[in-house]
């Protein structure tokens, strides 16, 4: 059965997946949302994403002077009208890294007012090392001569916490985002899953998504079980790049001869610098306690700062 909301003919279920970052969002987008036959999907790696990308990015990140609600509604209506779909999913982990996530939440509330909002959490003590290796270890958004120069973990963390609204710091403030979206969609429509369950208790994780999407958990397991999407930096490549920052000429001379050796071996891993673990715990513990109380989740079971 379908109903009208804000002029959009919508499927029975509406789902908005807002991340969080480093919680296998790409895996969900590529392997589940874009591939399951009963899901109509809008987001990265959806069908015709190249054509839809400007509209979706504007919805999430751009000022109202760029945002066209009518055009966005038309896109949602077209997606929701696909034959044989039991749920429509909009997914974007960029919402949490936006400087103004409440703007996006308000827009989505107008477009998909009956949606269930899904937030997947991950222990911040493990998110920071992963985020650093994959995104923070090399300079970005700088003049070309400085582009991709290595940055130490401690220096990057110091910068991030000095400018929390412009860096990943607030993207991991899960309680803030839970409050923003629950205010728009209602606490009863907020669903919180744990990344750690995907790793340690996958059946429970699949069951959580199955209930939300209305599809059998075994079908979810078949699509995403044991899969990995993002290319990982190897420990060899990571260490070599750090050395290259110290002795650039010598490393550039030998790099062409190392070839595939640098890209093979185990995935890169780093430990939090001394003193940073306490800083991270103090920053996120109050919010984690609040979201645990609101959802009934035992975050301490997986070592979350509480």
């Amino acid at each position: 059965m379908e109903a009208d909301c804000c002029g959009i003919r919508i499927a029975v279920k509406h789902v908005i997946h807002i991340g969080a970052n480093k919680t296998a969002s790409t895996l969900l987008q590529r392997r589940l949302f874009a591939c399951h036959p009963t899901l109509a999907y809008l987001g990265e790696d959806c069908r015709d994403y190249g054509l839809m990308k400007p509209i979706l990015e504007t919805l999430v990140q751009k000022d109202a002077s760029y945002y066209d609600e009518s055009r966005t509604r038309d896109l949602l209506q077209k997606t929701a009208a696909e034959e044989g779909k039991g749920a429509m999913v909009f997914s974007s982990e960029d919402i949490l890294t936006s400087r103004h996530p409440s703007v996006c939440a308000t827009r989505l509330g107008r477009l998909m007012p009956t949606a269930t909002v899904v937030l997947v959490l991950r222990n911040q003590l493990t998110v920071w090392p992963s985020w650093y290796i994959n995104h923070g270890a090399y300079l970005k958004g700088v003049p070309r001569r400085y582009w991709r120069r290595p940055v130490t973990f401690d220096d990057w963390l110091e910068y991030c916490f000095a400018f929390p609204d412009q860096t990943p710091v607030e993207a991991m403030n899960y309680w803030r985002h839970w409050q923003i979206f629950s205010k728009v969609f209602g606490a009863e429509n907020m669903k919180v899953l744990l990344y750690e369950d995907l790793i340690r208790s996958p059946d429970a994780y699949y069951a959580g998504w199955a209930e939300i999407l209305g599809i059998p958990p075994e079908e979810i397991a078949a699509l995403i079980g044991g899969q990995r999407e993002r290319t990982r930096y190897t420990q060899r490549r990571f260490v070599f790049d750090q050395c290259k920052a110290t002795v650039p000429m010598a490393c550039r001379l030998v790099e062409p001869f190392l070839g595939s050796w640098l890209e093979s071996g185990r995935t890169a891993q780093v430990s939090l610098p001394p003193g940073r673990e306490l800083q991270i715990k103090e920053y996120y513990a109050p919010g984690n306690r609040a979201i645990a109380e609101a959802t009934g989740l035992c975050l301490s079971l997986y070592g979350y700062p509480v």
Side-chain angles (χ1 to χ4, degrees), residues 14-292:
H14 280 185
V15 177
I16 299 172
H17 169 239
I18 59 174
N21 306 81
K22 312 310 298 178
T23 60
S25 294
T26 302
L27 176 67
L28 292 169
Q29 291 162 348
R30 291 181 181 175
R31 298 276 183 168
L32 177 58
F33 304 153
C35 293
H36 196 280
T38 68
L39 300 180
Y41 168 52
L42 278 176
E44 191 169 349
D45 294 302
C46 69
R47 188 175 68 248
D48 299 324
Y49 177 63
L51 299 176
M52 301 175 181
K53 183 177 178 180
I55 299 175
L56 299 180
E57 286 187 342
T58 300
L59 166 64
V60 172
Q61 298 179 329
K62 294 294 185 69
D63 182 76
S65 60
Y66 297 99
Y67 176 58
D68 187 334
E69 183 172 298
S70 177
R71 189 182 180 197
T72 308
R73 182 179 288 113
D74 288 344
L75 176 59
L76 292 171
Q77 183 175 8
K78 180 181 178 181
T79 303
E82 293 181 24
E83 291 289 336
K85 305 299 182 181
M88 182 170 72
V89 180
F90 171 74
S91 175
S92 175
E93 58 187 328
D94 293 334
I95 295 172
L96 271 64
T97 55
S98 168
R99 294 191 186 184
H100 307 289
S102 59
V103 173
C104 180
T106 300
R107 291 171 178 171
L108 288 170
R110 287 176 54 84
L111 295 168
M112 303 171 69
T114 63
T116 296
V117 180
V118 185
L119 176 60
V120 182
L121 310 187
R122 180 175 174 179
N123 185 340
Q124 294 95 338
L125 293 172
T126 70
V127 177
W128 275 108
S130 177
W131 208 321
Y132 168 68
I133 289 172
N134 290 280
H135 303 294
Y138 304 91
L139 289 175
K140 299 177 181 178
V142 294
R144 182 175 295 274
R145 66 179 296 185
Y146 300 100
W147 182 259
R148 290 193 60 79
R149 285 194 180 183
V151 180
T152 69
F153 198 2
D154 193 57
D155 284 345
W156 185 64
L157 285 170
E158 181 179 17
Y159 170 78
C160 287
F161 280 93
F163 303 97
D165 294 331
Q166 303 173 38
T167 62
V169 170
E170 277 300 295
M172 287 173 255
N173 186 351
Y174 306 133
W175 175 236
R176 176 192 174 204
H177 295 284
W178 192 93
Q179 288 179 298
I180 289 171
F181 277 84
S182 64
K183 183 177 181 180
V184 175
F185 293 93
E188 69 278 8
N189 293 315
M190 299 294 296
K191 301 295 182 182
V192 178
L193 302 178
L194 300 181
Y195 169 80
E196 288 80 11
D197 281 338
L198 172 62
I199 306 303
R200 305 185 194 180
S201 304
D203 287 344
Y205 183 80
Y206 303 148
W209 272 114
E211 181 180 357
I212 293 165
L213 298 173
I215 58 181
E218 57 269 20
E219 294 181 11
I220 297 176
L223 289 170
I224 68 174
Q227 301 294 326
R228 173 181 287 180
E229 285 302 311
R230 293 294 189 190
T231 301
R232 305 292 183 177
Y233 282 106
T234 67
Q235 190 71 20
R236 291 170 181 171
R237 165 56 70 181
F238 182 76
V239 172
F240 181 83
D241 286 346
Q242 298 297 308
C243 293
K244 190 160 60 175
T246 305
V247 284
M249 291 300 295
C251 288
R252 289 194 183 100
L253 286 173
V254 301
E255 188 169 7
F257 302 98
L258 297 178
S260 60
W261 182 83
L262 288 174
E263 311 307 330
S264 62
R266 66 184 181 91
T267 301
Q269 294 181 335
V270 294
S271 299
L272 289 167
R276 296 298 181 183
E277 181 173 337
L278 179 60
Q279 182 182 29
I280 291 169
K281 286 181 176 179
E282 290 179 344
Y283 194 95
Y284 296 113
N288 286 351
R289 289 195 296 270
I291 202 168

